[in-house]
Amino acid sequence: MTAAQSPPATRRSIPWNQHPIASPMLGIAGILLFLAVWELASRTGIVNPRFLPPASEVLLQLGRNFVSADFWTAVGQTMTSWAIGLAIAAAAATVIGFIIGGSDFLRRATHTTIEFLRPIPSVALIPLAVLLFGVSIESSLLLIVYASFWQILIQVLYGTADVDNVAMDTARSYGLGWWARVRHVVWPTTLPYLITGLRLGAAVALVLAITAELVIGTEGLGKQIELNRSGGSVVPMYALVIATGLIGVVINIGMRFVERRALRWHSSVRGDVAV
Amino acid sequence: MSLAKRLAYFVGLPILLLVLWWALTIGNTNFFVPKPLQLFEIFGDVWFGDRLVTDVLPSIGRLLAGVAISIVLGIVLGIVIGSVRLLRQLTEPSLEFLRAIPPPVLIPVLALIIGINDQMKVAVIIFGCIWPVLLNTIEGVRAVDPVLNDTCSVYGISGGARMRYLVLRSASPQIMTGIRQSLSIGLILMVISEMFGSSSGLGYAIVQFQRTFSVPEMWTGIILLGLLGVALSLVFQFTEKRVLRWYHGLREVDR
Amino acid sequence: MSNTTTKTNRGPKTGVIEVPEDVALSVQHLKKVYQTDGGEIEAVRDLHFDIRAGEFVCLVGPSGAGKTTLLKCIAGLLAPTSGLVALDGRLVTGPPKGLAVVFQEYGRSLFPWMNIRDNVELPLKNQGVAKDERDRLVDDALEAVGLAHVPKSYPWQLSGGMQQRVAIARAIAYQPKVLLMDEPFAAVDAQTRADLEDLVRRVWKRLGITVLFVTHDIDESVYLGERVVVLSSSPTVVQEDLTIDLPADRDQLETRSMARFTELRGHVYEQIQRAKAEAPNRTSSTPTV
């Protein structure tokens, strides 16, 4: 009785957009819709096409970029300062975070100082960077390191604060020394937080890398955008803006992937953080 | 912990650092190295004269306007998108992309479309600040507890009342997280939108000091931006503590 | 009556269902099939029972018997696949007025951002009950559950048992005709549980409302109910409908030590064991009740 009668009734009860492939399809439809509105706005002249060229032209230019050596050189320059800056910030934040987080005294003593330095917008350092380094990559690095350092440091401090007291006491009672405790107890607990910090820091580092190029004029995508703008090459400028967005998406997806992988083999913390 | 000890922890390191800074620069004649007492002396002259009205206040005004508009728009759109599954499915990848664009690259774009003026600067702040609020609100609206949802249905709480008593309050921790991110992005965008072909504002003034090699003045500008960042963060923390008192209490109990 | 029961819940447009006059809640041939990625799951096969106005009925069944599904259908939170639920002779298509629910998850059914008093008051405020009337109802309800002294606390500042008292207070302040309780005491400790059981009996007697109390605890169902409906394992049907002929004044020590209590408990226990044992056979055959 059930098998014969229920299917027609129930198929109706499941909304079509809950089908497993509905979400990605609708997402693509959403992007197409967005592009169509953009195209129309430009073609019909609602927005002056000199300032907002049609989406199709921008995408075509983006496609041409993908086979242009100059484009990839600029991407390489931007990503080099991104990677070096992020690496310096991560190394510094991890070491300093472990030192501060390992001592109750240091944690308390540095609290106000950190809370004061952290909200200082890194772009305030732009004039200083120009004075010190001019348009060289060090200017970019100063901004990137300053901005992403705090993101990672804060997460590492959260992580070291999260270390289980019982686990720490156990380790001590078995005679583990300071280094062994850090390696076997503090490090595994802190790692997921560190990776979250890296993910946040990576996004901020990209913003600052592009900003430095845009405002200071260090080599990279940001500088190319500014050159195109001042030269009135509107279509290439938009294509580059889209490209920076795509790089941002790739970094976000990549870091989330790394985060999930790292948390997976860390089964001890999976329950807490994976959600 | 006694009050004196807490005070010592609170101001100990900052005072130590200031004294160190003072001691190390005492006989220094290097033009680039700022001295604390000198900065302290000129700070008032630089920022509390004419510049307060021409640069500082307009900058802060644009920042607050941009952030406020972003918060309101972000929450309203976030609730709409978060409540309608179809809209969420349609917009998710597009929003993911728009959020990933580094907000400063919008400055040349908007300078082109709107021109270099106040509206452009506010628009830049909005375009950068809306995403954290919007995406966090969507997340928050999605994560409304199903039991609370059922409770509202059973007691006939629907429509506007449901928004007000359930959805907004339940999503408020995520919304506040979004607002905190927006504030720091807003400050960054305020500064660089003014560094970019502008003739007034905090960002402009600081770059002018740098170009004319008025190094101590430039340092006071950096410090002023720092103080502004700290002030915003304090106001935020104060508000957050009040709005989310229930949330922190709940978390405390859960631990 | 039997010819209306085969219709789906979308069937009768008028929303008026014929039931005997003294029936408060009528569940007629209720069936619920869930759609999942792995295919269909039949949670409730064919449930059919009436509850008279003012009755205290306990629903008891093995875990996974679709008790919560049934309760959600009655509360109008889930649409049945077929069959219907009628409250006071009116078809249930959404959460009906005059019905309140106390959920098992007390910690998640109270608004953590409102204090106790606001939690109890909210449904009344939403209905537009005047301030004076509201204050009286809230005071009475808090008084009845023994929480008159903590109106300004937040739910999470209270113990689990106290939180469940708040949920009960909110339900009774709402002045429902029918009160549904979904394993409300499953997550509180034994002593608190005994207190709360007596509290629910007292409230039921004082207000003269109809109570449908879902539980997996056999002792609790016999101690509380005037009637116990035993459910089978999933896919669920009514295994037995038992009248509890214990004295109306129940006492934790006295009632529970009565010979009749032990007898009834034993009987329900047997029924549930039988339900579990029969479960695999029934999956592909028609219901036996």
Side-chain angles (χ1 to χ4, degrees), chain A residues 38-47 49 52 54 56-57:
Chain A
W38 173 2
E39 181 85 19
L40 272 176
S42 172
R43 294 263 179 222
T44 56
I46 294 172
V47 185
L52 182 71
S56 53
E57 284 180 30

Side-chain angles (χ1 to χ4, degrees), chain B residues 2-255:
Chain B
S2 72
L3 196 69
K5 211 169 164 191
R6 266 166 65 174
L7 191 71
Y9 272 126
F10 199 77
V11 297
L13 187 61
I15 289 179
L16 189 70
L17 290 174
L18 279 176
V19 169
L20 261 178
W21 180 13
W22 173 76
L24 288 176
T25 55
I26 224 162
N28 201 314
T29 49
N30 188 329
F31 173 65
F32 287 106
V33 178
K35 300 195 181 77
L37 288 176
Q38 182 197 14
L39 294 189
F40 190 76
E41 274 163 25
I42 63 167
F43 189 94
D45 295 341
V46 175
W47 296 110
F48 294 142
D50 290 344
R51 279 207 185 78
L52 185 68
V53 185
T54 55
D55 296 323
V56 182
L57 290 182
S59 286
I60 295 176
R62 285 191 291 265
L63 171 65
L64 294 182
V67 169
I69 295 173
S70 310
I71 292 173
V72 173
L73 264 182
I75 291 176
V76 171
L77 287 175
I79 285 180
V80 172
I81 296 176
S83 315
V84 183
R85 192 190 163 94
L86 181 66
L87 267 181
R88 219 161 59 214
Q89 289 169 313
L90 270 175
T91 53
E92 213 158 39
S94 308
L95 292 179
E96 217 29 66
F97 172 75
L98 287 171
R99 176 179 69 163
I101 297 179
V105 308
L106 293 167
I107 296 175
V109 173
L110 291 171
L112 203 61
I113 297 180
I114 304 178
I116 296 175
N117 52 26
D118 275 1
Q119 287 94 304
M120 179 277 267
K121 288 169 198 157
V122 175
V124 165
I125 294 173
I126 296 172
F127 265 86
C129 292
I130 194 170
W131 310 117
V133 181
L134 175 63
L135 292 162
N136 277 292
T137 307
I138 293 177
E139 257 331 287
V141 171
R142 259 173 93 156
V144 168
D145 191 295
V147 178
L148 276 181
N149 215 355
D150 282 351
T151 303
C152 276
S153 304
V154 164
Y155 290 109
I157 299 164
S158 58
R162 187 172 160 275
M163 283 298 148
R164 187 170 146 210
Y165 295 118
L166 175 67
V167 177
L168 262 182
R169 295 308 300 273
S170 159
S172 56
Q174 283 95 333
I175 295 176
M176 290 310 276
T177 307
I179 292 177
R180 190 177 55 217
Q181 292 170 13
S182 289
L183 281 175
S184 49
I185 296 176
L187 192 55
I188 290 177
L189 290 176
M190 177 200 88
V191 175
I192 54 180
S193 71
E194 293 164 355
M195 289 180 172
F196 206 88
S198 175
S199 56
S200 73
L202 257 172
Y204 167 78
I206 295 174
V207 170
Q208 267 324 99
F209 289 139
Q210 171 240 313
R211 289 197 180 133
T212 54
F213 292 93
S214 318
V215 178
E217 284 82 358
M218 180 195 86
W219 272 105
T220 60
I222 293 176
I223 290 172
L224 180 62
L225 283 178
L227 290 175
L228 197 54
V230 173
L232 279 178
S233 143
L234 286 179
V235 169
F236 173 83
Q237 281 176 27
F238 177 76
T239 319
E240 200 240 29
K241 274 218 179 83
R242 314 206 87 198
V243 174
L244 297 185
R245 205 172 44 164
W246 63 271
Y247 179 71
H248 296 305
L250 187 65
R251 291 259 309 239
E252 198 70 15
V253 173
D254 278 351
R255 278 184 82 95

Side-chain angles (χ1 to χ4, degrees), chain A residues 17 23 26 112 211 226 256, chain B residues 10 89 96 99 104 196 206:
Chain A
N17 64 339
S23 272
L26 282 167
T112 14
T211 305
E226 170 55 12
R256 256 181 249 159
Chain B
F10 199 77
Q89 289 169 313
E96 217 29 66
R99 176 179 69 163
F196 206 88
I206 295 174

Side-chain angles (χ1 to χ4, degrees), chain A residues 170-189:
Chain A
T170 313
R172 228 177 256 130
S173 71
Y174 279 102
L176 269 69
W178 182 83
W179 175 243
R181 286 203 303 271
V182 166
R183 225 193 114 195
H184 297 293
V185 184
V186 182
W187 174 253
T189 314

